[in-house]
């Protein structure tokens, strides 16, 4: 039987992967959006995109890792 702390650790790792994806998306997105839009719009578009990518990545990886631990 798999213990609960292993599932919590798998979810924590998924959140960490999501944070890494957020930072990479923010760095690249801010640079690219800054070329297209002026300062108030460019960084706003970049952070919204980074939050979306980071959140989706964290949810997907946390779910996948927790399912793998359960098996």
């Amino acid at each position: 039987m798999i213990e609960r702390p292993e599932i919590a650790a798998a979810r924590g790792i998924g959140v960490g992967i999501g944070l890494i994806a957020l930072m990479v998306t923010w760095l690249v997105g801010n640079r690219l959006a800054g070329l297209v839009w002026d300062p108030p719009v460019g960084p706003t578009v970049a952070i919204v995109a980074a939050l979306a990518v980071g959140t989706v990545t964290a949810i997907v990886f946390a779910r996948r890792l927790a399912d793998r631990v359960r098996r």
Side-chain angles (χ1 to χ4, degrees):
M1 185 170 153
I2 297 174
E3 298 297 321
R4 185 89 176 144
E6 293 172 348
I7 294 172
R11 289 182 180 155
I13 291 170
V15 170
I17 293 170
L19 288 172
I20 291 170
L22 182 138
M23 288 306 300
V24 170
T25 306
W26 165 248
L27 289 172
V28 174
N30 191 33
R31 189 66 74 155
L32 293 175
L35 295 173
V36 178
W37 293 291
D38 289 332
V41 177
T44 304
V45 169
I47 195 65
V48 169
L51 287 171
V53 168
T55 302
V56 169
T57 304
I59 291 170
V60 168
F61 273 96
R63 202 175 278 169
R64 286 179 63 189
L65 288 171
D67 288 343
R68 185 173 289 180
V69 168
R70 286 186 187 118
R71 287 188 225 162

